[in-house]
Amino acid sequence: MTSSETRTRPLSRAALARLAVASEAAEASDGYRALAADGRPGDREEPHGRDDRDDRDDRDDREPGELAGAAWRLFEQARGVLRAAVIAERLAGASWETIGANLGEISKQAAHERYGAAETVFRRAALMAWLIPERAGHQLGDLADPGTVRARLTAWLQAPSRTGSVAAIEDLPPGLPAMTDTERAGLLIETATLLKGTGGYRNAGVTDAERHEVELGLARRRVELYEEIAERRPDDPEHAALLAGARARLTALEGG
């Protein structure tokens, strides 16, 4: 087994986006269940069989407007789930036209206007987390540790109140592939676009404070990819030259 085969590759951005949908949906679901039980999102619902020893109306101690406020917060949470779902669809390759058709038959322009900025924010955050792993938590929050998120979701599905919804961790959500060499190569190109502040990053380029770290991360990821390819193609002079150039660039950046 080669060293490249023993390395743990990060999840693809599409997989991270899909995991975000599952996580947000689980959180929203708990809120709706609580609201259905007693009108207080965040509190656990009571069992279906209530204790007849206490017949008082639980709503008597609720502040005026509290129920409406709880429903509004859940509505906003549902909007977040929808936004995450659109981002996941885009990263999985869906066109704005297809997304618009599934959002009440709106136009592709309207779909892009509503969710295009959110997609860019997620793409950038995931790209920065890949380039600078030590800052992943700042960029992605809980998603910086996908294993923990998946374990939490599995435990949520396997809770006694959700009998019949048990899923193995490998199936939650389905897929969750790691990055391929093709995606990694594409991210190297995308990073160059980010550094230039062009294309989709015209209004979301790097700051002066970020530039050196991003350039350093780019050089490290390039060396990492070329080393793995070189292990599989030891007699390929083209990749040997690319690796040598990448290592020289990394050395210069680290020295600087």
Side-chain angles (χ1 to χ4, degrees), residues 74-116:
L74 286 173
F75 174 73
E76 290 299 308
Q77 202 168 18
R79 287 162 62 98
V81 176
L82 175 57
R83 182 168 54 249
V86 170
I87 293 170
E89 292 281 17
R90 285 288 298 160
L91 287 167
S95 67
W96 284 116
E97 183 176 9
T98 296
I99 290 172
N102 284 275
L103 295 179
E105 297 293 337
I106 66 174
S107 69
K108 63 180 181 181
Q109 291 85 357
H112 180 266
E113 287 173 3
R114 289 185 191 180
Y115 301 106

Side-chain angles (χ1 to χ4, degrees), residues 15-34:
L16 282 175
R18 181 63 185 87
L19 192 59
V21 177
S23 182
E24 293 202 28
E27 185 176 343
S29 177
D30 277 340
Y32 280 104
R33 290 169 66 90

